[in-house]
Amino acid sequence: LSDGKATPLFSDAQARFVGPVSPNGKVASLVRFGQEAGSSVEALAVLPLDGGPEQVVSPVATRVREPQWSPDSTFLVFS
């Protein structure tokens, strides 16, 4: 936002929920929502805050809730 203009984080229409940022401030966690074989599915992903593509880090699941980072930013868990 250095130029005062908002920039979208994503270029596609995939629905996402932005979760907590890692304790080291380098990565945001995301929950992606979509459809697969007619069922709602979710996956856990991460997005580097200094730029770069989003990366899915979990298998596709029917539910991803409460993503949490370990204190050293090494692990990301969910229930």
Side-chain angles (χ1 to χ4, degrees):
L1 292 175
S2 62
D3 62 1
K5 296 180 183 177
T7 303
L9 289 175
F10 313 106
S11 60
D12 62 24
Q14 178 82 34
R16 295 171 182 83
F17 166 78
V18 178
V21 172
S22 61
N24 66 11
K26 294 182 179 182
V27 183
S29 62
L30 311 167
V31 179
R32 294 176 57 125
F33 300 94
Q35 293 286 319
E36 189 172 286
S39 297
S40 295
V41 294
E42 301 174 12
L44 187 62
V46 294
L47 179 69
L49 294 178
D50 63 354
E54 161 186 354
Q55 180 180 12
V56 175
V57 295
S58 76
V60 173
T62 56
R63 184 177 168 164
V64 175
R65 297 289 181 269
E66 301 181 34
Q68 296 293 318
W69 289 96
S70 63
D72 64 358
S73 302
T74 304
F75 297 100
L76 180 60
V77 298
F78 66 94
S79 60

